[in-house]
Amino acid sequence: MIRSIYIHNGSCRQEINIEKINKIYNAAPSLLWVDITLEKGDLSTDEIALLTDTFKFHELSVEDCLFPLYNPKVEEFDNYLFVNTHGIRLKNMNMAEFDESMYELDIFLAQNLIVTAHTEELEFLETLMHKAMLKPQIELKNIETVLYKILSKVVSNLENTMEKISDKIDLIEDKVLEDPNPKLMEEILDLKKVLLSMRKIADPQKNVYSFFSRENNEYIKEIYSAYFRDITDQLNSLNKTINYNSQMISSLIAIYMSSITIKLNETMKFLSIIATIFLPVLIVASYYGMNVAFPEINLFGNTGTWFFAIFLILAATLAIILYMKNKKWF
């Protein structure tokens, strides 16, 4: 699916027909933004012709749109700039859907032309195009403005996702001391996996955004370099947050294991105390349970021997309890 928005002779219009987009480009509009959503991960013949024949983009750049690139990059060509970046479109914190919410956004930047290509529907691009139609004098002022708003939205979505992850870490931090359980450990490990994916997305993109913040960049006017420096600062702050949360996850795992160990030790301690308290019962019962003639029977008689055994059990049990109390074992 293809759509475009352009400014020509002072008016802002939309177009979805490829042949008309071709004519619009040849008419040299003051600004043309073409957005392509790859259907089933592929480009149509007309879309490839538009990119290679009309816009004169290199076939290797077009090929990069078809196959996922796991490392963001910026490539300079004679007549355009190719940018590959990644983002997150996660609406909730369902960790099972996190990998599916990651997307790749390819951007072609040329003179008065910007082309965005992606395999999934990206709502923020629809929103930006809608705002551009309402306020073209602001949203479509120049190529730098469009590029800044796109990249800024990508980073903002990453920041929003990281805020949700931070909130979830805070909730788990409260639970891990109260009730450590296997389900909680699964959540911690899921968060660890998510943070690893976030680091793979955010960290390599520093080179992409720093490229546009250079003051001697021929694609970005010097007056707009401050805007892209702001995005770079956002990304650096995001990477610091990711590193901090990664350390928090490692700490949560250590706290969880310590809590489980403490809980297990408490259980073992309780069972050991019970076993020790009942030890005299087992010894006396085992002794007097033997089928032999005991000297105590001649001394106390059958009934007296039974009371003597009970006395031994109670005295020994009381002595053990007092000893444990004295040692502050409970």
Side-chain angles (χ1 to χ4, degrees):
M1 184 181 73
I2 189 169
R3 57 189 170 181
S4 68
I5 186 170
Y6 65 97
I7 295 180
H8 189 58
N9 295 330
S11 62
C12 179
R13 299 176 182 176
Q14 285 183 313
E15 185 56 63
I16 59 174
N17 184 279
I18 292 183
E19 293 182 0
K20 291 183 178 180
I21 293 175
N22 195 341
K23 294 178 181 179
I24 291 168
Y25 177 73
N26 292 330
S30 55
L31 190 148
L32 172 61
W33 177 11
V34 179
D35 181 63
I36 302 175
T37 302
L38 281 67
E39 296 184 4
K40 297 181 180 179
D42 199 4
L43 291 167
S44 67
T45 303
D46 292 337
E47 289 170 344
I48 293 176
L50 180 68
L51 294 176
T52 56
D53 298 338
T54 304
F55 297 154
K56 306 299 181 182
F57 295 151
H58 198 282
E59 59 182 11
L60 289 178
S61 298
V62 177
E63 184 179 315
D64 286 339
C65 296
L66 300 175
F67 301 98
L69 299 175
Y70 298 101
N71 291 317
K73 67 175 182 178
V74 178
E75 285 187 332
E76 295 184 72
F77 293 86
D78 293 337
N79 59 321
Y80 71 96
L81 192 70
F82 177 73
V83 182
N84 174 271
T85 186
H86 297 81
I88 298 290
R89 48 184 179 86
L90 192 65
K91 294 183 179 180
N92 52 53
M93 283 312 298
N94 188 349
M95 298 305 171
E97 299 178 356
F98 186 83
D99 290 340
E100 298 177 1
S101 66
M102 297 167 57
Y103 66 83
E104 178 179 310
L105 178 62
D106 299 305
I107 302 173
F108 298 86
L109 192 68
Q111 184 69 29
N112 298 331
L113 171 66
I114 183 168
V115 179
T116 53
H118 44 93
T119 56
E120 299 90 359
E121 289 286 346
L122 301 180
E123 293 183 5
F124 76 90
L125 290 180
E126 295 180 10
T127 302
L128 289 177
M129 279 195 160
H130 180 69
K131 290 173 64 177
M133 282 298 298
L134 296 176
K135 298 180 179 180
Q137 67 278 11
I138 298 176
E139 304 295 331
L140 297 177
K141 185 166 57 175
N142 47 48
I143 286 294
E144 290 88 349
T145 300
V146 177
L147 180 64
Y148 167 74
K149 290 185 178 297
I150 292 174
L151 296 182
S152 177
K153 199 64 179 177
V154 171
V155 177
S156 295
N157 288 340
L158 289 173
E159 288 181 322
N160 292 336
T161 301
M162 184 49 57
E163 287 179 4
K164 295 178 181 178
I165 293 174
S166 298
D167 292 340
K168 195 168 185 66
I169 289 176
D170 291 338
L171 291 175
I172 293 178
E173 188 177 8
D174 295 334
K175 293 179 181 179
V176 74
L177 292 174
E178 296 175 1
D179 182 28
N181 56 72
K183 186 178 180 180
L184 195 61
M185 188 59 175
E186 289 180 9
E187 293 182 16
I188 294 174
L189 293 178
D190 286 341
L191 280 174
K192 184 176 182 180
K193 181 181 177 181
V194 166
L195 284 171
L196 180 61
S197 299
M198 285 288 291
R199 179 176 292 177
K200 288 180 180 179
I201 292 176
D203 190 56
Q205 291 191 106
K206 291 185 294 186
N207 296 330
V208 174
Y209 295 106
S210 62
F211 175 87
F212 293 105
S213 63
R214 297 184 315 196
E215 294 183 355
N216 59 346
N217 193 316
E218 62 178 297
Y219 296 92
I220 304 297
K221 296 183 181 66
E222 184 176 344
I223 190 174
Y224 293 101
S225 61
Y227 292 94
F228 294 95
R229 283 199 301 271
D230 181 66
I231 300 180
T232 304
D233 292 339
Q234 283 183 272
L235 192 63
N236 289 333
S237 177
L238 175 66
N239 282 312
K240 290 179 181 178
T241 305
I242 292 174
N243 291 332
Y244 172 76
N245 284 332
S246 297
Q247 294 175 0
M248 283 295 298
I249 288 295
S250 299
S251 300
L252 285 178
I253 293 175
I255 293 172
Y256 175 86
M257 297 305 297
S258 299
S259 299
I260 290 295
T261 302
I262 292 172
K263 193 174 181 180
L264 180 61
N265 288 340
E266 289 293 330
T267 303
M268 294 302 296
K269 179 181 178 181
F270 174 77
L271 293 176
S272 298
I273 290 173
I274 295 299
T276 305
I277 290 175
F278 282 93
L279 185 61
V281 178
L282 297 174
I283 294 175
V284 175
S286 298
Y287 176 75
Y288 286 103
M290 293 186 292
N291 190 19
V292 295
F294 295 101
E296 292 87 342
I297 295 176
N298 296 328
L299 185 62
F300 302 113
N302 289 331
T303 303
T305 301
W306 183 85
F307 282 108
F308 178 72
I310 295 299
F311 170 77
L312 287 178
I313 290 173
L314 295 176
T317 301
L318 181 60
I320 290 174
I321 293 175
L322 292 175
Y323 178 79
M324 290 183 175
K325 266 297 192 187
N326 186 51
K327 290 292 185 179
K328 297 182 180 180
W329 289 356
F330 63 89

